[in-house]
Each structure stands twice: as structure tokens, then as C-alpha cells.
Short mmCIF file of all heavy atoms in Angstrom, two decimals:
data_model
loop_
_atom_site.label_atom_id
_atom_site.label_comp_id
_atom_site.label_asym_id
_atom_site.label_seq_id
_atom_site.Cartn_x
_atom_site.Cartn_y
_atom_site.Cartn_z
N MET V 862 -7.76 0.71 10.21
CA MET V 862 -6.74 -0.19 9.66
C MET V 862 -6.72 -0.09 8.13
O MET V 862 -7.74 0.12 7.50
CB MET V 862 -7.04 -1.64 10.05
CG MET V 862 -7.15 -1.88 11.54
SD MET V 862 -5.58 -1.80 12.38
CE MET V 862 -5.09 -3.52 12.33
N VAL V 863 -5.53 -0.29 7.58
CA VAL V 863 -5.40 -0.34 6.13
C VAL V 863 -5.02 -1.76 5.75
O VAL V 863 -4.10 -2.34 6.32
CB VAL V 863 -4.31 0.64 5.64
CG1 VAL V 863 -4.18 0.57 4.12
CG2 VAL V 863 -4.63 2.06 6.08
N ASN V 864 -5.75 -2.31 4.79
CA ASN V 864 -5.49 -3.67 4.36
C ASN V 864 -4.45 -3.68 3.25
O ASN V 864 -4.67 -3.10 2.18
CB ASN V 864 -6.79 -4.33 3.89
CG ASN V 864 -6.66 -5.83 3.78
OD1 ASN V 864 -6.02 -6.47 4.61
ND2 ASN V 864 -7.26 -6.40 2.76
N PHE V 865 -3.32 -4.33 3.50
CA PHE V 865 -2.28 -4.45 2.49
C PHE V 865 -2.36 -5.82 1.84
O PHE V 865 -2.63 -6.82 2.51
CB PHE V 865 -0.90 -4.25 3.12
CG PHE V 865 -0.52 -2.80 3.29
CD1 PHE V 865 -1.17 -2.00 4.22
CD2 PHE V 865 0.47 -2.23 2.51
CE1 PHE V 865 -0.84 -0.67 4.37
CE2 PHE V 865 0.80 -0.88 2.65
CZ PHE V 865 0.16 -0.10 3.58
N VAL V 866 -2.12 -5.86 0.54
CA VAL V 866 -2.18 -7.12 -0.20
C VAL V 866 -0.85 -7.35 -0.90
O VAL V 866 -0.32 -6.45 -1.58
CB VAL V 866 -3.31 -7.09 -1.25
CG1 VAL V 866 -3.40 -8.43 -1.98
CG2 VAL V 866 -4.65 -6.76 -0.60
N CYS V 867 -0.32 -8.55 -0.76
CA CYS V 867 0.92 -8.92 -1.43
C CYS V 867 0.65 -9.18 -2.91
O CYS V 867 -0.28 -9.91 -3.25
CB CYS V 867 1.50 -10.16 -0.78
SG CYS V 867 2.94 -10.81 -1.66
N ILE V 868 1.47 -8.58 -3.77
CA ILE V 868 1.26 -8.79 -5.21
C ILE V 868 1.81 -10.14 -5.65
O ILE V 868 1.58 -10.56 -6.78
CB ILE V 868 1.91 -7.66 -6.05
CG1 ILE V 868 3.43 -7.59 -5.83
CG2 ILE V 868 1.24 -6.33 -5.74
CD1 ILE V 868 4.12 -6.64 -6.79
N GLY V 869 2.54 -10.81 -4.76
CA GLY V 869 3.06 -12.13 -5.09
C GLY V 869 2.09 -13.22 -4.70
O GLY V 869 1.47 -13.85 -5.53
N CYS V 870 1.92 -13.41 -3.39
CA CYS V 870 1.10 -14.52 -2.90
C CYS V 870 -0.29 -14.08 -2.49
O CYS V 870 -1.09 -14.90 -2.04
CB CYS V 870 1.82 -15.22 -1.74
SG CYS V 870 2.00 -14.20 -0.26
N ARG V 871 -0.58 -12.77 -2.62
CA ARG V 871 -1.91 -12.22 -2.31
C ARG V 871 -2.27 -12.32 -0.83
O ARG V 871 -3.43 -12.25 -0.46
CB ARG V 871 -3.01 -12.87 -3.15
CG ARG V 871 -2.76 -12.81 -4.65
CD ARG V 871 -2.82 -11.37 -5.15
NE ARG V 871 -2.41 -11.25 -6.54
CZ ARG V 871 -3.26 -11.31 -7.59
NH1 ARG V 871 -4.52 -11.46 -7.40
NH2 ARG V 871 -2.80 -11.19 -8.81
N LYS V 872 -1.26 -12.48 0.00
CA LYS V 872 -1.50 -12.47 1.43
C LYS V 872 -2.00 -11.10 1.85
O LYS V 872 -1.55 -10.08 1.35
CB LYS V 872 -0.19 -12.79 2.16
CG LYS V 872 -0.30 -12.87 3.66
CD LYS V 872 1.02 -13.44 4.24
CE LYS V 872 1.75 -12.45 5.13
NZ LYS V 872 1.14 -12.31 6.44
N ASN V 873 -2.94 -11.11 2.78
CA ASN V 873 -3.48 -9.85 3.32
C ASN V 873 -2.88 -9.58 4.68
O ASN V 873 -2.68 -10.49 5.48
CB ASN V 873 -5.00 -9.95 3.45
CG ASN V 873 -5.69 -9.75 2.12
OD1 ASN V 873 -6.53 -8.87 1.97
ND2 ASN V 873 -5.35 -10.56 1.14
N GLU V 874 -2.63 -8.30 4.94
CA GLU V 874 -2.13 -7.93 6.24
C GLU V 874 -2.68 -6.56 6.58
O GLU V 874 -2.63 -5.64 5.78
CB GLU V 874 -0.59 -7.89 6.23
CG GLU V 874 -0.01 -7.80 7.61
CD GLU V 874 1.49 -8.07 7.61
OE1 GLU V 874 1.94 -8.98 6.89
OE2 GLU V 874 2.19 -7.35 8.33
N ARG V 875 -3.23 -6.45 7.79
CA ARG V 875 -3.83 -5.19 8.20
C ARG V 875 -2.82 -4.40 9.04
O ARG V 875 -2.28 -4.91 10.00
CB ARG V 875 -5.11 -5.46 8.98
CG ARG V 875 -6.09 -6.27 8.17
CD ARG V 875 -7.34 -6.57 8.96
NE ARG V 875 -8.45 -5.75 8.49
CZ ARG V 875 -9.57 -5.51 9.19
NH1 ARG V 875 -9.71 -6.00 10.40
NH2 ARG V 875 -10.53 -4.78 8.69
N ILE V 876 -2.60 -3.18 8.59
CA ILE V 876 -1.65 -2.30 9.26
C ILE V 876 -2.43 -1.11 9.83
O ILE V 876 -3.24 -0.51 9.12
CB ILE V 876 -0.61 -1.79 8.26
CG1 ILE V 876 -0.06 -2.93 7.39
CG2 ILE V 876 0.50 -1.00 8.97
CD1 ILE V 876 1.14 -3.63 7.88
N PRO V 877 -2.18 -0.77 11.09
CA PRO V 877 -2.89 0.38 11.66
C PRO V 877 -2.64 1.65 10.86
O PRO V 877 -1.52 1.92 10.41
CB PRO V 877 -2.30 0.50 13.07
CG PRO V 877 -1.76 -0.86 13.37
CD PRO V 877 -1.31 -1.42 12.06
N LEU V 878 -3.68 2.43 10.67
CA LEU V 878 -3.58 3.65 9.86
C LEU V 878 -2.51 4.59 10.39
O LEU V 878 -1.80 5.23 9.62
CB LEU V 878 -4.94 4.35 9.83
CG LEU V 878 -5.03 5.61 8.97
CD1 LEU V 878 -4.71 5.30 7.50
CD2 LEU V 878 -6.40 6.26 9.08
N SER V 879 -2.37 4.65 11.72
CA SER V 879 -1.38 5.55 12.30
C SER V 879 0.04 5.15 11.86
O SER V 879 0.89 6.01 11.59
CB SER V 879 -1.49 5.55 13.82
OG SER V 879 -1.30 4.25 14.33
N VAL V 880 0.29 3.85 11.78
CA VAL V 880 1.61 3.36 11.35
C VAL V 880 1.83 3.69 9.88
O VAL V 880 2.90 4.16 9.47
CB VAL V 880 1.71 1.83 11.58
CG1 VAL V 880 3.01 1.28 10.99
CG2 VAL V 880 1.64 1.51 13.07
N VAL V 881 0.79 3.46 9.07
CA VAL V 881 0.89 3.74 7.65
C VAL V 881 1.17 5.22 7.41
O VAL V 881 2.02 5.59 6.59
CB VAL V 881 -0.41 3.32 6.93
CG1 VAL V 881 -0.36 3.71 5.45
CG2 VAL V 881 -0.63 1.82 7.06
N ARG V 882 0.50 6.06 8.15
CA ARG V 882 0.69 7.50 7.97
C ARG V 882 2.07 7.96 8.42
O ARG V 882 2.64 8.88 7.83
CB ARG V 882 -0.41 8.28 8.71
CG ARG V 882 -1.75 8.14 8.01
CD ARG V 882 -2.76 9.16 8.51
NE ARG V 882 -4.02 9.01 7.78
CZ ARG V 882 -4.37 9.80 6.76
NH1 ARG V 882 -3.60 10.77 6.38
NH2 ARG V 882 -5.51 9.61 6.14
N ASP V 883 2.60 7.31 9.42
CA ASP V 883 3.97 7.62 9.84
C ASP V 883 4.95 7.31 8.71
O ASP V 883 5.84 8.10 8.40
CB ASP V 883 4.35 6.82 11.09
CG ASP V 883 3.82 7.45 12.36
OD1 ASP V 883 3.32 8.60 12.29
OD2 ASP V 883 3.91 6.82 13.41
N PHE V 884 4.76 6.16 8.09
CA PHE V 884 5.61 5.78 6.96
C PHE V 884 5.44 6.77 5.82
O PHE V 884 6.41 7.20 5.18
CB PHE V 884 5.26 4.36 6.48
CG PHE V 884 6.03 3.29 7.19
CD1 PHE V 884 5.46 2.61 8.26
CD2 PHE V 884 7.32 2.96 6.80
CE1 PHE V 884 6.16 1.62 8.93
CE2 PHE V 884 8.02 1.97 7.46
CZ PHE V 884 7.45 1.30 8.53
N ASP V 885 4.19 7.11 5.55
CA ASP V 885 3.88 8.01 4.45
C ASP V 885 4.53 9.38 4.69
O ASP V 885 5.04 10.02 3.78
CB ASP V 885 2.36 8.15 4.34
CG ASP V 885 1.94 8.68 2.98
OD1 ASP V 885 2.81 8.79 2.09
OD2 ASP V 885 0.74 8.98 2.82
N ASP V 886 4.51 9.80 5.93
CA ASP V 886 5.05 11.10 6.29
C ASP V 886 6.57 11.13 6.07
O ASP V 886 7.13 12.14 5.65
CB ASP V 886 4.73 11.39 7.76
CG ASP V 886 4.78 12.88 8.05
OD1 ASP V 886 4.70 13.68 7.10
OD2 ASP V 886 4.91 13.23 9.23
N MET V 887 7.22 10.01 6.34
CA MET V 887 8.67 9.94 6.16
C MET V 887 9.04 9.86 4.69
O MET V 887 10.12 10.27 4.28
CB MET V 887 9.23 8.71 6.89
CG MET V 887 9.28 8.88 8.39
SD MET V 887 10.14 7.52 9.18
CE MET V 887 8.97 6.17 8.99
N ASP V 888 8.13 9.31 3.90
CA ASP V 888 8.38 9.11 2.48
C ASP V 888 7.92 10.33 1.70
O ASP V 888 6.77 10.45 1.33
CB ASP V 888 7.66 7.85 2.00
CG ASP V 888 7.85 7.63 0.51
OD1 ASP V 888 8.87 8.12 -0.02
OD2 ASP V 888 7.00 6.99 -0.11
N ALA V 889 8.83 11.24 1.45
CA ALA V 889 8.49 12.47 0.75
C ALA V 889 8.74 12.33 -0.75
O ALA V 889 8.89 13.29 -1.47
CB ALA V 889 9.30 13.63 1.30
N GLY V 890 8.77 11.11 -1.21
CA GLY V 890 9.15 10.86 -2.61
C GLY V 890 7.99 10.95 -3.58
O GLY V 890 7.01 11.66 -3.36
N ASP V 891 8.13 10.21 -4.65
CA ASP V 891 7.22 10.22 -5.77
C ASP V 891 5.85 9.63 -5.38
O ASP V 891 5.79 8.49 -4.94
CB ASP V 891 7.85 9.37 -6.88
CG ASP V 891 7.11 9.48 -8.19
OD1 ASP V 891 5.99 10.01 -8.19
OD2 ASP V 891 7.66 9.03 -9.20
N PRO V 892 4.78 10.40 -5.54
CA PRO V 892 3.46 9.86 -5.20
C PRO V 892 3.02 8.73 -6.12
O PRO V 892 2.08 8.01 -5.82
CB PRO V 892 2.53 11.07 -5.35
CG PRO V 892 3.25 12.00 -6.26
CD PRO V 892 4.73 11.78 -6.01
N GLU V 893 3.68 8.59 -7.27
CA GLU V 893 3.37 7.49 -8.17
C GLU V 893 3.87 6.16 -7.61
O GLU V 893 3.48 5.09 -8.06
CB GLU V 893 4.00 7.72 -9.55
CG GLU V 893 3.41 8.91 -10.28
CD GLU V 893 1.94 8.70 -10.63
OE1 GLU V 893 1.58 7.58 -11.03
OE2 GLU V 893 1.16 9.65 -10.48
N VAL V 894 4.76 6.23 -6.65
CA VAL V 894 5.27 5.02 -6.00
C VAL V 894 4.77 5.04 -4.57
O VAL V 894 5.39 5.64 -3.70
CB VAL V 894 6.81 4.96 -6.05
CG1 VAL V 894 7.29 3.65 -5.42
CG2 VAL V 894 7.32 5.09 -7.48
N PRO V 895 3.62 4.45 -4.33
CA PRO V 895 3.03 4.50 -3.00
C PRO V 895 3.84 3.70 -2.00
O PRO V 895 4.62 2.82 -2.37
CB PRO V 895 1.65 3.89 -3.19
CG PRO V 895 1.82 2.97 -4.35
CD PRO V 895 2.83 3.62 -5.24
N LEU V 896 3.63 4.04 -0.77
CA LEU V 896 4.33 3.31 0.28
C LEU V 896 3.95 1.83 0.22
O LEU V 896 2.84 1.49 -0.16
CB LEU V 896 4.02 3.89 1.66
CG LEU V 896 2.70 3.52 2.31
CD1 LEU V 896 2.70 3.96 3.76
CD2 LEU V 896 1.54 4.17 1.58
N HIS V 897 4.86 0.99 0.58
CA HIS V 897 4.58 -0.44 0.56
C HIS V 897 5.48 -1.13 1.57
O HIS V 897 6.47 -0.59 2.02
CB HIS V 897 4.80 -1.01 -0.84
CG HIS V 897 6.19 -0.82 -1.37
ND1 HIS V 897 6.58 0.34 -1.99
CD2 HIS V 897 7.27 -1.62 -1.34
CE1 HIS V 897 7.86 0.23 -2.33
NE2 HIS V 897 8.31 -0.96 -1.94
N PHE V 898 5.08 -2.34 1.89
CA PHE V 898 5.87 -3.16 2.78
C PHE V 898 6.33 -4.40 2.03
O PHE V 898 5.81 -4.70 0.96
CB PHE V 898 5.03 -3.56 4.01
CG PHE V 898 4.59 -2.39 4.84
CD1 PHE V 898 3.33 -1.83 4.67
CD2 PHE V 898 5.44 -1.82 5.77
CE1 PHE V 898 2.93 -0.73 5.42
CE2 PHE V 898 5.05 -0.73 6.53
CZ PHE V 898 3.79 -0.18 6.35
N ILE V 899 7.26 -5.11 2.61
CA ILE V 899 7.72 -6.35 1.99
C ILE V 899 7.03 -7.52 2.69
O ILE V 899 7.02 -7.62 3.92
CB ILE V 899 9.26 -6.48 2.11
CG1 ILE V 899 9.95 -5.31 1.41
CG2 ILE V 899 9.73 -7.82 1.54
CD1 ILE V 899 9.64 -5.20 -0.07
N CYS V 900 6.49 -8.40 1.88
CA CYS V 900 5.78 -9.56 2.38
C CYS V 900 6.74 -10.49 3.11
O CYS V 900 7.78 -10.87 2.56
CB CYS V 900 5.10 -10.29 1.23
SG CYS V 900 4.27 -11.82 1.72
N GLY V 901 6.39 -10.86 4.34
CA GLY V 901 7.23 -11.75 5.11
C GLY V 901 7.22 -13.17 4.60
O GLY V 901 8.11 -13.96 4.89
N ALA V 902 6.20 -13.52 3.82
CA ALA V 902 6.06 -14.89 3.35
C ALA V 902 6.82 -15.14 2.06
O ALA V 902 7.44 -16.18 1.90
CB ALA V 902 4.58 -15.21 3.16
N CYS V 903 6.78 -14.19 1.11
CA CYS V 903 7.37 -14.46 -0.21
C CYS V 903 8.34 -13.39 -0.67
O CYS V 903 9.00 -13.55 -1.69
CB CYS V 903 6.26 -14.67 -1.25
SG CYS V 903 5.42 -13.15 -1.73
N GLY V 904 8.43 -12.27 0.05
CA GLY V 904 9.42 -11.26 -0.29
C GLY V 904 8.98 -10.27 -1.34
O GLY V 904 9.74 -9.37 -1.71
N ASN V 905 7.77 -10.43 -1.86
CA ASN V 905 7.24 -9.46 -2.80
C ASN V 905 6.72 -8.23 -2.07
O ASN V 905 6.65 -8.21 -0.84
CB ASN V 905 6.12 -10.09 -3.65
CG ASN V 905 6.65 -10.88 -4.82
OD1 ASN V 905 7.18 -10.32 -5.78
ND2 ASN V 905 6.54 -12.20 -4.75
N GLU V 906 6.33 -7.23 -2.84
CA GLU V 906 5.83 -6.01 -2.24
C GLU V 906 4.36 -6.14 -1.88
O GLU V 906 3.60 -6.80 -2.57
CB GLU V 906 6.01 -4.84 -3.21
CG GLU V 906 7.47 -4.46 -3.38
CD GLU V 906 7.84 -4.21 -4.83
OE1 GLU V 906 6.97 -4.36 -5.70
OE2 GLU V 906 9.00 -3.86 -5.06
N MET V 907 4.01 -5.51 -0.77
CA MET V 907 2.61 -5.46 -0.35
C MET V 907 2.13 -4.02 -0.49
O MET V 907 2.76 -3.10 0.04
CB MET V 907 2.47 -5.89 1.11
CG MET V 907 3.00 -7.30 1.37
SD MET V 907 2.67 -7.84 3.06
CE MET V 907 0.94 -8.34 2.91
N TYR V 908 1.04 -3.86 -1.21
CA TYR V 908 0.49 -2.53 -1.42
C TYR V 908 -0.87 -2.42 -0.76
O TYR V 908 -1.58 -3.42 -0.59
CB TYR V 908 0.35 -2.25 -2.92
CG TYR V 908 1.67 -2.03 -3.60
CD1 TYR V 908 2.31 -3.07 -4.27
CD2 TYR V 908 2.28 -0.78 -3.57
CE1 TYR V 908 3.53 -2.88 -4.90
CE2 TYR V 908 3.50 -0.58 -4.19
CZ TYR V 908 4.12 -1.62 -4.85
OH TYR V 908 5.33 -1.43 -5.46
N PRO V 909 -1.27 -1.20 -0.41
CA PRO V 909 -2.57 -1.03 0.24
C PRO V 909 -3.71 -1.32 -0.73
O PRO V 909 -3.64 -0.94 -1.90
CB PRO V 909 -2.57 0.44 0.67
CG PRO V 909 -1.54 1.11 -0.17
CD PRO V 909 -0.53 0.05 -0.51
N GLU V 910 -4.71 -2.00 -0.21
CA GLU V 910 -5.90 -2.28 -1.02
C GLU V 910 -6.56 -0.96 -1.42
O GLU V 910 -6.94 -0.76 -2.56
CB GLU V 910 -6.86 -3.13 -0.20
CG GLU V 910 -7.99 -3.72 -0.99
CD GLU V 910 -8.73 -4.77 -0.16
OE1 GLU V 910 -9.13 -4.45 0.97
OE2 GLU V 910 -8.86 -5.91 -0.64
N TYR V 911 -6.70 -0.09 -0.48
CA TYR V 911 -7.12 1.27 -0.76
C TYR V 911 -6.51 2.18 0.30
O TYR V 911 -6.55 1.86 1.48
CB TYR V 911 -8.65 1.42 -0.72
CG TYR V 911 -9.04 2.88 -0.84
CD1 TYR V 911 -9.01 3.53 -2.07
CD2 TYR V 911 -9.37 3.62 0.30
CE1 TYR V 911 -9.32 4.86 -2.17
CE2 TYR V 911 -9.69 4.96 0.21
CZ TYR V 911 -9.67 5.59 -1.03
OH TYR V 911 -9.96 6.93 -1.13
N TYR V 912 -5.97 3.27 -0.17
CA TYR V 912 -5.35 4.18 0.78
C TYR V 912 -5.31 5.57 0.18
O TYR V 912 -4.96 5.74 -0.98
CB TYR V 912 -3.92 3.72 1.12
CG TYR V 912 -3.16 4.70 1.98
CD1 TYR V 912 -3.58 4.95 3.28
CD2 TYR V 912 -2.05 5.38 1.49
CE1 TYR V 912 -2.89 5.85 4.07
CE2 TYR V 912 -1.37 6.27 2.28
CZ TYR V 912 -1.78 6.51 3.57
OH TYR V 912 -1.11 7.41 4.35
N LYS V 913 -5.71 6.55 0.98
CA LYS V 913 -5.58 7.94 0.56
C LYS V 913 -4.44 8.55 1.35
O LYS V 913 -4.51 8.66 2.58
CB LYS V 913 -6.88 8.70 0.78
CG LYS V 913 -6.78 10.12 0.24
CD LYS V 913 -8.14 10.80 0.21
CE LYS V 913 -7.99 12.17 -0.43
NZ LYS V 913 -9.27 12.89 -0.48
N GLY V 914 -3.39 8.90 0.66
CA GLY V 914 -2.18 9.40 1.31
C GLY V 914 -2.36 10.77 1.92
O GLY V 914 -3.30 11.50 1.60
N ILE V 915 -1.43 11.11 2.79
CA ILE V 915 -1.50 12.40 3.47
C ILE V 915 -1.25 13.54 2.50
O ILE V 915 -1.55 14.68 2.80
CB ILE V 915 -0.48 12.48 4.64
CG1 ILE V 915 0.94 12.24 4.15
CG2 ILE V 915 -0.87 11.50 5.75
CD1 ILE V 915 1.97 12.41 5.26
N HIS V 916 -0.72 13.23 1.32
CA HIS V 916 -0.51 14.25 0.31
C HIS V 916 -1.67 14.30 -0.68
O HIS V 916 -1.60 14.96 -1.71
CB HIS V 916 0.81 14.00 -0.44
CG HIS V 916 1.99 13.86 0.50
ND1 HIS V 916 2.42 14.90 1.30
CD2 HIS V 916 2.79 12.81 0.78
CE1 HIS V 916 3.46 14.48 2.02
NE2 HIS V 916 3.69 13.22 1.74
N GLY V 917 -2.74 13.57 -0.36
CA GLY V 917 -3.95 13.62 -1.17
C GLY V 917 -3.98 12.63 -2.31
O GLY V 917 -4.94 12.60 -3.07
N PHE V 918 -2.95 11.80 -2.41
CA PHE V 918 -2.90 10.84 -3.49
C PHE V 918 -3.70 9.59 -3.11
O PHE V 918 -3.48 9.01 -2.06
CB PHE V 918 -1.44 10.46 -3.77
CG PHE V 918 -1.28 9.47 -4.89
CD1 PHE V 918 -1.45 9.87 -6.20
CD2 PHE V 918 -0.95 8.16 -4.61
CE1 PHE V 918 -1.29 8.95 -7.24
CE2 PHE V 918 -0.79 7.24 -5.64
CZ PHE V 918 -0.96 7.64 -6.95
N GLU V 919 -4.63 9.21 -3.98
CA GLU V 919 -5.43 8.02 -3.72
C GLU V 919 -4.82 6.83 -4.44
O GLU V 919 -4.37 6.93 -5.57
CB GLU V 919 -6.87 8.22 -4.21
CG GLU V 919 -7.71 9.01 -3.23
CD GLU V 919 -9.17 8.98 -3.62
OE1 GLU V 919 -9.80 7.91 -3.54
OE2 GLU V 919 -9.69 10.03 -4.02
N TYR V 920 -4.85 5.70 -3.76
CA TYR V 920 -4.24 4.51 -4.31
C TYR V 920 -5.17 3.32 -4.15
O TYR V 920 -5.76 3.12 -3.10
CB TYR V 920 -2.91 4.23 -3.60
CG TYR V 920 -2.24 3.01 -4.16
CD1 TYR V 920 -1.56 3.08 -5.36
CD2 TYR V 920 -2.36 1.79 -3.52
CE1 TYR V 920 -0.99 1.94 -5.90
CE2 TYR V 920 -1.78 0.66 -4.05
CZ TYR V 920 -1.10 0.74 -5.23
OH TYR V 920 -0.55 -0.38 -5.77
N ARG V 921 -5.24 2.52 -5.19
CA ARG V 921 -6.03 1.27 -5.12
C ARG V 921 -5.19 0.12 -5.66
O ARG V 921 -4.48 0.28 -6.65
CB ARG V 921 -7.31 1.39 -5.96
CG ARG V 921 -8.34 2.31 -5.35
CD ARG V 921 -9.58 2.40 -6.23
NE ARG V 921 -10.59 3.29 -5.67
CZ ARG V 921 -10.56 4.61 -5.76
NH1 ARG V 921 -9.58 5.20 -6.42
NH2 ARG V 921 -11.49 5.34 -5.22
N ILE V 922 -5.33 -1.02 -5.02
CA ILE V 922 -4.54 -2.19 -5.41
C ILE V 922 -4.88 -2.61 -6.83
O ILE V 922 -4.04 -3.15 -7.55
CB ILE V 922 -4.75 -3.35 -4.40
CG1 ILE V 922 -3.73 -4.48 -4.63
CG2 ILE V 922 -6.16 -3.90 -4.47
CD1 ILE V 922 -2.31 -4.13 -4.26
N GLU V 923 -6.09 -2.36 -7.28
CA GLU V 923 -6.49 -2.75 -8.63
C GLU V 923 -5.59 -2.12 -9.68
O GLU V 923 -5.31 -2.71 -10.72
CB GLU V 923 -7.94 -2.34 -8.92
CG GLU V 923 -8.98 -3.21 -8.21
CD GLU V 923 -9.26 -2.72 -6.81
OE1 GLU V 923 -8.64 -1.72 -6.37
OE2 GLU V 923 -10.10 -3.34 -6.13
N ASP V 924 -5.11 -0.91 -9.39
CA ASP V 924 -4.23 -0.23 -10.35
C ASP V 924 -2.93 -0.99 -10.51
O ASP V 924 -2.31 -0.99 -11.57
CB ASP V 924 -3.92 1.19 -9.86
CG ASP V 924 -5.19 2.02 -9.76
OD1 ASP V 924 -6.20 1.65 -10.39
OD2 ASP V 924 -5.17 3.02 -9.03
N ARG V 925 -2.50 -1.62 -9.43
CA ARG V 925 -1.23 -2.32 -9.43
C ARG V 925 -1.37 -3.73 -10.00
O ARG V 925 -0.55 -4.19 -10.78
CB ARG V 925 -0.71 -2.39 -7.98
CG ARG V 925 0.55 -3.16 -7.78
CD ARG V 925 1.77 -2.49 -8.37
NE ARG V 925 1.82 -1.07 -8.04
CZ ARG V 925 2.84 -0.28 -8.34
NH1 ARG V 925 3.91 -0.77 -8.90
NH2 ARG V 925 2.80 1.00 -8.06
N LEU V 926 -2.45 -4.40 -9.63
CA LEU V 926 -2.64 -5.77 -10.07
C LEU V 926 -3.02 -5.84 -11.54
O LEU V 926 -2.68 -6.77 -12.25
CB LEU V 926 -3.72 -6.46 -9.22
CG LEU V 926 -3.37 -6.65 -7.75
CD1 LEU V 926 -4.56 -7.26 -7.01
CD2 LEU V 926 -2.14 -7.52 -7.57
N GLY V 927 -3.73 -4.80 -12.00
CA GLY V 927 -4.11 -4.74 -13.41
C GLY V 927 -5.08 -5.82 -13.81
O GLY V 927 -5.61 -6.56 -12.99
N VAL V 928 -5.29 -5.93 -15.13
CA VAL V 928 -6.19 -6.93 -15.65
C VAL V 928 -5.37 -8.06 -16.26
O VAL V 928 -4.44 -7.83 -17.02
CB VAL V 928 -7.12 -6.31 -16.73
CG1 VAL V 928 -8.01 -7.38 -17.36
CG2 VAL V 928 -7.94 -5.19 -16.12
N GLY V 929 -5.74 -9.27 -15.93
CA GLY V 929 -5.08 -10.43 -16.53
C GLY V 929 -3.79 -10.83 -15.87
O GLY V 929 -3.05 -11.62 -16.43
N THR V 930 -3.50 -10.30 -14.72
CA THR V 930 -2.28 -10.70 -14.04
C THR V 930 -2.60 -11.72 -12.97
O THR V 930 -3.64 -11.67 -12.37
CB THR V 930 -1.56 -9.50 -13.39
OG1 THR V 930 -2.48 -8.78 -12.57
CG2 THR V 930 -1.00 -8.60 -14.43
ZN1 LIG R 2131 3.66 -12.60 -0.39
#
């Protein structure tokens, strides 16, 4: 499972890795914009806490949340 975190309300949601990879596979776009889902609670984007994409790009939520936000 991949843990997704909402950047708005910080809600956590676990998505099966197979589902995440299916999305990643369809998204042939910019690796700087990682796949994400929309939070059902507040409408903000949910990003993976940690995820290594099928194209080798590693992503961590800390990069998105930054310091002091
Ligand atoms: Zn939210």
C-alpha cells in the first residue's frame, strides 16, 4: 500500500500499490508533477508520503509540504 497525505487537511489514505502504478503508467507526463488524487474531504491534492515511480522517480511528501507550511 502507498500512503497518500492531503496537503490541505492532512488526511491519510492508503491506496493499493497496484492501483497507484496503473495511474502512474497512464500518466506519461512530467515526473516533477507526481501522480496525485483529490481529497474527498476538502478537495485539495493528496500526494504519496513516499513513492518510487515506475519511471524511477522518487517522491516524498516532505518535498511538497516543505518547511514552515
Ligand atoms: Zn483534505
Side-chain angles (χ1 to χ4, degrees):
M862 304 288 268
V863 180
N864 195 39
F865 277 70
V866 182
C867 173
I868 61 171
C870 66
R871 305 293 173 92
K872 182 170 117 76
N873 281 237
E874 193 167 320
R875 303 178 106 198
I876 314 269
L878 183 60
S879 59
V880 173
V881 176
R882 288 194 179 261
D883 279 350
F884 271 98
D885 199 8
D886 201 20
M887 285 188 289
D888 178 25
D891 190 347
E893 294 295 319
V894 183
L896 79 169
H897 59 276
F898 297 96
I899 300 300
C900 176
C903 73
N905 277 289
E906 290 137 358
M907 302 186 80
Y908 288 97
E910 192 168 53
Y911 173 78
Y912 174 66
K913 184 169 184 180
I915 57 176
H916 306 296
F918 181 74
E919 279 190 68
Y920 181 78
R921 289 179 180 80
I922 191 70
E923 286 86 359
D924 299 340
R925 176 70 46 174
L926 294 176
V928 176
T930 52

